[in-house]
Amino acid sequence: MTPRQLIRNAGDLVSLPEICVRINQLVDDPTSSAEEMAQVISQDASLTARLLKIVNSAFYGFPGRIDTIARAITVIGTRDLRDLALMTAACELFTGVPANLIDMERFWHSSLTCGVLARRLARSCRVLHPDRLFVMGVLHDIGRLVLFQQLPVASRDILLISKGRDDLIVAAEREVFGFTHGDVGYELACDWRLPAPICSAIRWHHLPEQATTDLIECTLVYIANILADSLVWDSEPGVELERVLPGSWQITGLTPVECERAVSEMGDEVRELYAILMRHAPAPQPSLVKPGLPD
């Protein structure tokens, strides 16, 4: 079994809704217009409502209210809105994951935390178009969901081997599968035709030193994931940052102090975004989101 075969076997279970396929086509078509994209998105009332809530949230902090998708495209751009739409669809896609393997609410809370932190860190080191990093961070672990869905028994073994520790899971996956959830997530992202930097960040978010392209994006998501992990395990960010590869500080120009500041300044951004994307009660506080091991 290879990552590509896993995605093929999953079939419709990991296929994007038709509206997302159409959005992708429009973005890739140089003759299409922002008006056409706005018309397509507006056909889906639920997607439209959630996208407008995100754009009007404290996460973006725009001074005036944005009431239409056409205006949202003008403000944040066609490609960034496309990425938000695909990310929003992905949050509802995985419904067949065994509950005894992972708590999906906790999974998405951790993923959103990673996304918010990745965007903040990108701004700190003046990366162009930092909003891309939010989508990268939110989707970085989608490969794990495919593995839980398609290979639940082996995935349970990996959780037991790694004791649920994010920093030990990759080695356990290589031992059991011969590949990692990053490889699976990369294949899925490519299948969804996501931009190359997002695909790279998903693939190398644990192993940024192996990335040959989009190195700063991969490294930022790697650091953000470690910070999010510190919140999940209720440990001190400074302690978790000790396992950051030294080269990552050189690549990004960040310091541990800046990373800890990003954590302290998140405020309610994650909780607000979680309520929008998950469409129910706000997420629990970080100290309550430790991932459980299988029974």
Side-chain angles (χ1 to χ4, degrees):
M1 183 71 71
T2 66
R4 169 64 10 204
Q5 288 171 326
L6 267 180
I7 300 304
R8 287 176 180 168
N9 290 348
D12 290 343
L13 293 174
V14 295
S15 295
L16 288 173
E18 182 60 34
I19 190 170
C20 291
V21 175
R22 180 63 181 138
I23 292 169
N24 256 338
Q25 291 171 341
L26 289 173
V27 171
D28 293 338
D29 182 358
T31 67
S32 68
S33 65
E35 289 79 8
E36 287 180 274
M37 183 170 170
Q39 288 174 0
V40 169
I41 293 176
S42 297
Q43 291 171 8
D44 187 320
S46 175
L47 178 62
T48 297
R50 278 183 290 163
L51 287 176
L52 289 177
K53 284 181 180 179
I54 292 171
V55 174
N56 283 294
S57 69
F59 178 71
Y60 278 101
F62 293 128
R65 180 149 189 89
I66 298 167
D67 294 322
T68 66
I69 290 296
R71 175 62 179 153
I73 292 174
T74 301
V75 172
I76 71 172
T78 302
R79 293 184 179 276
D80 281 352
L81 193 68
R82 182 271 309 269
D83 295 345
L84 276 181
L86 298 185
M87 181 204 72
T88 300
C91 289
E92 291 197 327
L93 194 59
F94 296 91
T95 56
V97 178
N100 67 324
L101 290 179
I102 192 167
D103 183 321
M104 291 299 290
E105 293 183 2
R106 294 173 177 177
F107 173 87
W108 287 119
H109 179 264
S110 177
S111 296
L112 282 165
T113 301
C114 181
V116 169
L117 287 170
R119 178 176 179 259
R120 282 187 169 275
L121 296 179
R123 286 184 163 185
S124 294
C125 55
R126 303 181 187 280
V127 169
L128 289 175
H129 310 299
D131 291 346
R132 300 173 302 144
L133 273 295
F134 172 61
V135 177
M136 293 177 191
V138 173
L139 297 181
H140 77 283
D141 259 350
I142 53 172
R144 291 191 70 192
L145 297 182
V146 177
L147 289 171
F148 288 145
Q149 192 180 67
Q150 297 297 303
L151 300 171
V153 176
S155 295
R156 182 180 186 276
D157 292 340
I158 286 169
L159 286 175
L160 293 171
I161 291 170
S162 64
K163 297 182 170 60
R165 288 290 305 191
D166 195 56
D167 53 331
L168 302 177
I169 283 174
V170 169
E173 287 174 339
R174 286 201 183 281
E175 181 181 336
V176 175
F177 297 131
F179 52 81
T180 73
H181 64 275
D183 298 323
V184 177
Y186 170 79
E187 292 292 345
L188 181 56
C190 289
D191 196 62
W192 288 349
R193 293 167 58 197
L194 293 180
I198 296 179
C199 297
S200 295
I202 290 172
R203 186 173 199 174
W204 302 118
H205 67 272
H206 281 294
L207 306 163
E209 74 281 7
Q210 295 185 23
T212 56
T213 59
D214 310 304
L215 186 57
I216 192 163
E217 289 89 347
C218 297
T219 307
L220 286 169
V221 175
Y222 161 73
I223 295 173
N225 183 48
I226 289 176
L227 287 169
D229 195 38
S230 74
L231 298 177
V232 168
W233 287 94
D234 199 21
S235 58
E236 291 295 326
V239 173
E240 294 295 329
L241 286 171
E242 291 177 3
R243 57 186 173 95
V244 170
L245 295 169
S248 298
W249 302 122
Q250 298 170 3
I251 290 166
T252 61
L254 292 169
T255 66
V257 171
E258 288 175 301
C259 293
E260 292 185 65
R261 185 184 304 125
V263 173
S264 67
E265 292 176 349
M266 280 195 304
D268 291 330
E269 285 181 10
V270 174
R271 293 171 65 81
E272 183 182 11
L273 289 167
Y274 181 94
I276 293 169
L277 289 167
M278 299 297 119
R279 293 193 287 187
H280 49 64
Q285 295 289 348
S287 61
L288 302 179
V289 297
K290 295 180 184 179
L293 293 176
D295 297 330

PDB file of all heavy atoms in Angstrom, residues 252-270:
ATOM      1  N   THR A 252      13.839  30.932   9.443  1.00  0.00           N
ATOM      2  CA  THR A 252      12.723  31.852   9.661  1.00  0.00           C
ATOM      3  C   THR A 252      13.150  33.191  10.248  1.00  0.00           C
ATOM      4  O   THR A 252      12.432  34.196  10.095  1.00  0.00           O
ATOM      5  CB  THR A 252      11.685  31.233  10.606  1.00  0.00           C
ATOM      6  OG1 THR A 252      12.302  30.976  11.885  1.00  0.00           O
ATOM      7  CG2 THR A 252      11.146  29.922  10.035  1.00  0.00           C
ATOM      8  N   GLY A 253      14.267  33.207  10.947  1.00  0.00           N
ATOM      9  CA  GLY A 253      14.674  34.419  11.643  1.00  0.00           C
ATOM     10  C   GLY A 253      13.901  34.642  12.928  1.00  0.00           C
ATOM     11  O   GLY A 253      14.043  35.684  13.579  1.00  0.00           O
ATOM     12  N   LEU A 254      13.079  33.666  13.317  1.00  0.00           N
ATOM     13  CA  LEU A 254      12.296  33.773  14.545  1.00  0.00           C
ATOM     14  C   LEU A 254      13.146  33.445  15.763  1.00  0.00           C
ATOM     15  O   LEU A 254      14.217  32.833  15.654  1.00  0.00           O
ATOM     16  CB  LEU A 254      11.097  32.825  14.491  1.00  0.00           C
ATOM     17  CG  LEU A 254      10.002  33.144  13.478  1.00  0.00           C
ATOM     18  CD1 LEU A 254       9.035  31.974  13.379  1.00  0.00           C
ATOM     19  CD2 LEU A 254       9.258  34.425  13.864  1.00  0.00           C
ATOM     20  N   THR A 255      12.640  33.816  16.929  1.00  0.00           N
ATOM     21  CA  THR A 255      13.255  33.440  18.198  1.00  0.00           C
ATOM     22  C   THR A 255      12.207  32.751  19.060  1.00  0.00           C
ATOM     23  O   THR A 255      11.003  32.951  18.861  1.00  0.00           O
ATOM     24  CB  THR A 255      13.780  34.675  18.950  1.00  0.00           C
ATOM     25  OG1 THR A 255      12.659  35.493  19.329  1.00  0.00           O
ATOM     26  CG2 THR A 255      14.735  35.476  18.082  1.00  0.00           C
ATOM     27  N   PRO A 256      12.628  31.939  20.027  1.00  0.00           N
ATOM     28  CA  PRO A 256      11.662  31.325  20.938  1.00  0.00           C
ATOM     29  C   PRO A 256      10.771  32.352  21.635  1.00  0.00           C
ATOM     30  O   PRO A 256       9.586  32.102  21.877  1.00  0.00           O
ATOM     31  CB  PRO A 256      12.551  30.580  21.931  1.00  0.00           C
ATOM     32  CG  PRO A 256      13.787  30.245  21.148  1.00  0.00           C
ATOM     33  CD  PRO A 256      13.997  31.442  20.257  1.00  0.00           C
ATOM     34  N   VAL A 257      11.310  33.522  21.939  1.00  0.00           N
ATOM     35  CA  VAL A 257      10.526  34.562  22.611  1.00  0.00           C
ATOM     36  C   VAL A 257       9.381  35.027  21.712  1.00  0.00           C
ATOM     37  O   VAL A 257       8.236  35.189  22.170  1.00  0.00           O
ATOM     38  CB  VAL A 257      11.423  35.760  22.994  1.00  0.00           C
ATOM     39  CG1 VAL A 257      10.575  36.921  23.499  1.00  0.00           C
ATOM     40  CG2 VAL A 257      12.428  35.337  24.061  1.00  0.00           C
ATOM     41  N   GLU A 258       9.654  35.216  20.428  1.00  0.00           N
ATOM     42  CA  GLU A 258       8.599  35.615  19.499  1.00  0.00           C
ATOM     43  C   GLU A 258       7.524  34.544  19.377  1.00  0.00           C
ATOM     44  O   GLU A 258       6.334  34.847  19.264  1.00  0.00           O
ATOM     45  CB  GLU A 258       9.204  35.901  18.119  1.00  0.00           C
ATOM     46  CG  GLU A 258      10.023  37.177  18.048  1.00  0.00           C
ATOM     47  CD  GLU A 258      10.691  37.336  16.696  1.00  0.00           C
ATOM     48  OE1 GLU A 258      11.484  36.449  16.311  1.00  0.00           O
ATOM     49  OE2 GLU A 258      10.413  38.346  16.024  1.00  0.00           O
ATOM     50  N   CYS A 259       7.938  33.287  19.410  1.00  0.00           N
ATOM     51  CA  CYS A 259       6.983  32.182  19.314  1.00  0.00           C
ATOM     52  C   CYS A 259       6.077  32.136  20.539  1.00  0.00           C
ATOM     53  O   CYS A 259       4.856  31.955  20.418  1.00  0.00           O
ATOM     54  CB  CYS A 259       7.726  30.850  19.162  1.00  0.00           C
ATOM     55  SG  CYS A 259       8.601  30.680  17.595  1.00  0.00           S
ATOM     56  N   GLU A 260       6.661  32.316  21.712  1.00  0.00           N
ATOM     57  CA  GLU A 260       5.851  32.319  22.934  1.00  0.00           C
ATOM     58  C   GLU A 260       4.913  33.532  22.957  1.00  0.00           C
ATOM     59  O   GLU A 260       3.774  33.423  23.449  1.00  0.00           O
ATOM     60  CB  GLU A 260       6.767  32.320  24.153  1.00  0.00           C
ATOM     61  CG  GLU A 260       7.549  31.010  24.320  1.00  0.00           C
ATOM     62  CD  GLU A 260       8.361  30.976  25.598  1.00  0.00           C
ATOM     63  OE1 GLU A 260       7.747  30.981  26.677  1.00  0.00           O
ATOM     64  OE2 GLU A 260       9.605  30.959  25.516  1.00  0.00           O
ATOM     65  N   ARG A 261       5.364  34.646  22.400  1.00  0.00           N
ATOM     66  CA  ARG A 261       4.497  35.816  22.323  1.00  0.00           C
ATOM     67  C   ARG A 261       3.301  35.537  21.405  1.00  0.00           C
ATOM     68  O   ARG A 261       2.171  35.947  21.697  1.00  0.00           O
ATOM     69  CB  ARG A 261       5.272  37.020  21.799  1.00  0.00           C
ATOM     70  CG  ARG A 261       4.442  38.321  21.799  1.00  0.00           C
ATOM     71  CD  ARG A 261       5.191  39.483  21.181  1.00  0.00           C
ATOM     72  NE  ARG A 261       6.466  39.687  21.855  1.00  0.00           N
ATOM     73  CZ  ARG A 261       7.645  39.704  21.227  1.00  0.00           C
ATOM     74  NH1 ARG A 261       7.690  39.521  19.919  1.00  0.00           N
ATOM     75  NH2 ARG A 261       8.750  39.901  21.892  1.00  0.00           N
ATOM     76  N   ALA A 262       3.534  34.821  20.312  1.00  0.00           N
ATOM     77  CA  ALA A 262       2.444  34.478  19.387  1.00  0.00           C
ATOM     78  C   ALA A 262       1.380  33.660  20.100  1.00  0.00           C
ATOM     79  O   ALA A 262       0.180  33.848  19.885  1.00  0.00           O
ATOM     80  CB  ALA A 262       2.994  33.714  18.189  1.00  0.00           C
ATOM     81  N   VAL A 263       1.803  32.757  20.967  1.00  0.00           N
ATOM     82  CA  VAL A 263       0.855  31.947  21.735  1.00  0.00           C
ATOM     83  C   VAL A 263       0.051  32.830  22.681  1.00  0.00           C
ATOM     84  O   VAL A 263      -1.179  32.713  22.781  1.00  0.00           O
ATOM     85  CB  VAL A 263       1.593  30.845  22.526  1.00  0.00           C
ATOM     86  CG1 VAL A 263       0.630  30.122  23.459  1.00  0.00           C
ATOM     87  CG2 VAL A 263       2.251  29.847  21.575  1.00  0.00           C
ATOM     88  N   SER A 264       0.728  33.729  23.358  1.00  0.00           N
ATOM     89  CA  SER A 264       0.057  34.562  24.360  1.00  0.00           C
ATOM     90  C   SER A 264      -0.908  35.563  23.730  1.00  0.00           C
ATOM     91  O   SER A 264      -1.849  36.019  24.384  1.00  0.00           O
ATOM     92  CB  SER A 264       1.091  35.311  25.205  1.00  0.00           C
ATOM     93  OG  SER A 264       1.796  36.276  24.422  1.00  0.00           O
ATOM     94  N   GLU A 265      -0.701  35.904  22.454  1.00  0.00           N
ATOM     95  CA  GLU A 265      -1.527  36.925  21.802  1.00  0.00           C
ATOM     96  C   GLU A 265      -2.681  36.354  20.996  1.00  0.00           C
ATOM     97  O   GLU A 265      -3.426  37.108  20.366  1.00  0.00           O
ATOM     98  CB  GLU A 265      -0.636  37.790  20.895  1.00  0.00           C
ATOM     99  CG  GLU A 265       0.362  38.662  21.660  1.00  0.00           C
ATOM    100  CD  GLU A 265       1.285  39.439  20.743  1.00  0.00           C
ATOM    101  OE1 GLU A 265       1.282  39.140  19.521  1.00  0.00           O
ATOM    102  OE2 GLU A 265       2.009  40.314  21.236  1.00  0.00           O
ATOM    103  N   MET A 266      -2.846  35.044  21.006  1.00  0.00           N
ATOM    104  CA  MET A 266      -3.918  34.437  20.209  1.00  0.00           C
ATOM    105  C   MET A 266      -5.301  34.868  20.668  1.00  0.00           C
ATOM    106  O   MET A 266      -6.224  35.001  19.869  1.00  0.00           O
ATOM    107  CB  MET A 266      -3.840  32.908  20.262  1.00  0.00           C
ATOM    108  CG  MET A 266      -2.827  32.297  19.342  1.00  0.00           C
ATOM    109  SD  MET A 266      -3.117  30.525  19.169  1.00  0.00           S
ATOM    110  CE  MET A 266      -3.068  29.969  20.864  1.00  0.00           C
ATOM    111  N   GLY A 267      -5.459  35.073  21.959  1.00  0.00           N
ATOM    112  CA  GLY A 267      -6.759  35.464  22.488  1.00  0.00           C
ATOM    113  C   GLY A 267      -7.833  34.441  22.165  1.00  0.00           C
ATOM    114  O   GLY A 267      -7.635  33.229  22.310  1.00  0.00           O
ATOM    115  N   ASP A 268      -8.973  34.925  21.693  1.00  0.00           N
ATOM    116  CA  ASP A 268     -10.104  34.058  21.396  1.00  0.00           C
ATOM    117  C   ASP A 268     -10.209  33.700  19.914  1.00  0.00           C
ATOM    118  O   ASP A 268     -11.246  33.208  19.471  1.00  0.00           O
ATOM    119  CB  ASP A 268     -11.416  34.725  21.841  1.00  0.00           C
ATOM    120  CG  ASP A 268     -11.531  34.807  23.353  1.00  0.00           C
ATOM    121  OD1 ASP A 268     -10.976  33.915  24.019  1.00  0.00           O
ATOM    122  OD2 ASP A 268     -12.152  35.753  23.862  1.00  0.00           O
ATOM    123  N   GLU A 269      -9.156  33.951  19.144  1.00  0.00           N
ATOM    124  CA  GLU A 269      -9.227  33.700  17.707  1.00  0.00           C
ATOM    125  C   GLU A 269      -9.593  32.250  17.402  1.00  0.00           C
ATOM    126  O   GLU A 269     -10.447  31.968  16.556  1.00  0.00           O
ATOM    127  CB  GLU A 269      -7.893  34.041  17.036  1.00  0.00           C
ATOM    128  CG  GLU A 269      -7.643  35.528  16.874  1.00  0.00           C
ATOM    129  CD  GLU A 269      -6.321  35.821  16.194  1.00  0.00           C
ATOM    130  OE1 GLU A 269      -5.690  34.873  15.671  1.00  0.00           O
ATOM    131  OE2 GLU A 269      -5.923  36.997  16.181  1.00  0.00           O
ATOM    132  N   VAL A 270      -8.926  31.318  18.074  1.00  0.00           N
ATOM    133  CA  VAL A 270      -9.155  29.899  17.792  1.00  0.00           C
ATOM    134  C   VAL A 270     -10.577  29.505  18.155  1.00  0.00           C
ATOM    135  O   VAL A 270     -11.268  28.819  17.393  1.00  0.00           O
ATOM    136  CB  VAL A 270      -8.137  29.013  18.542  1.00  0.00           C
ATOM    137  CG1 VAL A 270      -8.484  27.535  18.361  1.00  0.00           C
ATOM    138  CG2 VAL A 270      -6.730  29.284  18.036  1.00  0.00           C
TER     139      VAL A 270
END
